[in-house]
Amino acid sequence: MKVMPIIDEEKCQRCGLCVSVCQCGALVLSENRVTVIEVDDCHWCTLCELVCPNGAISCPFEIVIENNQA
Amino acid sequence: MGVQIEFIKSLPYFTGLDDNVLGIIGKYVFEKKADRGEILSFEGEPSDTLYFVVAGVVKVFKTSADGKEQIFHIIRPGESFNDVPVLSGGVNPFSIEAMGPVVLNGMKKKDLEAVMREHPQVALNVIQVLSVRVQELISLVEDFSFRHVTGRVAKMLLEYADNRISEGRRLTQQEMAGMIGTAREMVGRSLKSLEDEGAIRIERNRIIVTDQRALRETAGVS
């Protein structure tokens, strides 16, 4: 299962700004609710997180060290 | 949609005005729509129209000589752009692009000036709007000039890449910004810079430390 942006339903005011900037169609506003759909094209641009005025979307990064380092 | 007086009334530029004045202002305001990717203002060019975002989002950015883009500000509904060239009569210091479909309300420079002459409250509002903008820019200048943001990002990445400390916790760019006391935009810029240097590699939702020594050097830790 692909990791996708996370929506905090309590903070989300359903303004739809995230949907308007999402280029891969991963975010959909329907029935007064923003939902995340798992799509292959989501490149983690984080624009949805950037434009959300309520901090309701998170695109967290995992931070790891590459194995083959001395 | 058409120009809505209620929307105009909600704008900081036109706060505290009575309905008659708002009605006059409404006659000068026109609607404009744009699609994703449309450039609404070009850096270095004059602009004679002040815009307010009604719906959608636009980004304020600059592009460096080598094509790198730096986002300075995101303009959401209720906020304005082109204030500087319109009020100063100079050129636009930034470029502005629609991040998705947007609806704007525009007002020509000559009409705004006529309204300010007739209704001084609008001029006072403009001073207040610009004062807030100056405060935001001072904060950004502080980040650019006095703080080694990239070094702090590097230090934080080293700490979090150590699983004993982070316990596998994931971080958003906003959280990283909060941790090191800077703006989210600066974190994005620093990550790009560290990737260009070869210290890290970004693979979708993973930041991979590829050169710990280089990262330590940037962080100023041994």
Side-chain angles (χ1 to χ4, degrees):
Chain A
M1 199 171 160
K2 197 166 190 173
V3 176
M4 297 297 290
I6 303 155
I7 297 181
D8 183 331
E9 300 254 358
E10 283 186 13
K11 289 184 184 170
C12 178
Q13 300 295 307
R14 288 103 185 143
C15 68
L17 290 184
C18 56
V19 178
S20 76
V21 300
C22 179
Q23 299 190 38
C24 64
L27 300 172
V28 179
L29 182 60
S30 63
E31 294 174 0
N32 200 29
R33 186 166 174 259
V34 178
T35 47
V36 183
I37 298 167
E38 194 179 321
V39 295
D40 286 338
D41 287 348
C42 174
H43 300 299
W44 217 253
C45 68
T46 76
L47 288 180
C48 52
E49 179 190 276
L50 178 65
V51 302
C52 178
N54 307 300
I57 299 192
S58 307
C59 301
F61 287 88
E62 185 184 1
I63 303 164
V64 294
I65 296 175
E66 197 162 57
N67 287 330
N68 59 359
Q69 283 185 78
Chain B
M1 194 189 282
V3 172
Q4 304 284 327
I5 295 297
E6 279 307 307
F7 173 75
I8 295 172
K9 198 176 183 175
S10 73
L11 298 167
Y13 266 79
F14 304 122
T15 193
L17 302 172
D18 65 42
D19 287 351
N20 285 340
V21 179
L22 288 166
I24 294 164
I25 292 168
K27 287 177 187 161
Y28 293 122
V29 176
F30 58 90
E31 189 180 85
K32 177 185 166 87
K33 290 181 179 174
D35 289 324
R36 181 201 308 279
E38 205 169 307
I39 303 289
L40 301 160
S41 287
F42 287 94
E43 180 184 345
E45 289 188 2
S47 185
D48 71 342
T49 308
L50 175 69
Y51 285 108
F52 303 98
V53 177
V54 181
V57 200
V58 304
K59 67 178 175 187
V60 177
F61 69 101
K62 269 180 182 277
T63 309
S64 64
D66 55 356
K68 280 185 197 157
E69 181 184 293
Q70 168 71 42
I71 297 178
F72 282 83
H73 199 44
I74 297 292
I75 314 262
R76 300 184 179 87
E79 297 173 340
S80 56
F81 64 88
N82 275 0
D83 315 60
V84 171
V86 164
L87 294 166
S88 73
V91 298
N92 211 318
F94 307 105
S95 292
I96 319 276
E97 181 184 322
M99 293 177 74
V102 294
V103 179
L104 308 168
N105 274 182
M107 191 173 188
K108 292 282 179 195
K109 175 184 169 71
K110 62 175 177 50
D111 296 332
L112 179 66
E113 286 174 351
V115 169
M116 285 197 287
R117 271 193 290 271
E118 197 70 28
H119 307 283
Q121 180 62 44
V122 177
L124 291 172
N125 291 347
V126 170
I127 291 169
Q128 205 152 32
V129 169
L130 292 180
S131 301
V132 171
R133 205 63 58 83
V134 167
Q135 281 169 0
E136 290 167 357
L137 288 174
I138 286 173
S139 165
L140 199 59
V141 166
E142 270 181 359
D143 264 344
F144 276 123
S145 319
F146 305 123
R147 303 174 187 174
H148 301 288
V149 177
T150 307
R152 296 209 309 267
V153 170
K155 189 161 181 277
M156 182 211 57
L157 290 177
L158 283 167
E159 286 169 2
Y160 267 76
D162 183 343
N163 285 333
R164 285 167 301 176
I165 296 171
S166 66
E167 293 174 337
R169 193 182 152 212
R170 298 188 298 152
L171 290 176
T172 65
Q173 289 190 40
Q174 187 62 57
E175 286 168 334
M176 294 180 204
M179 284 167 60
I180 60 170
T182 189
R184 187 193 186 280
E185 288 81 355
M186 293 297 291
V187 171
R189 178 188 158 100
S190 298
L191 289 174
K192 267 185 201 164
S193 155
L194 290 170
E195 191 172 28
D196 289 346
E197 289 166 17
I200 62 168
R201 188 172 71 244
I202 300 173
E203 285 181 1
R204 197 167 179 265
N205 61 325
R206 294 180 90 206
I207 297 171
I208 301 161
V209 178
T210 50
D211 189 341
Q212 285 190 72
R213 193 179 298 170
L215 208 55
R216 281 203 198 95
E217 208 167 287
T218 308
V221 293
S222 54

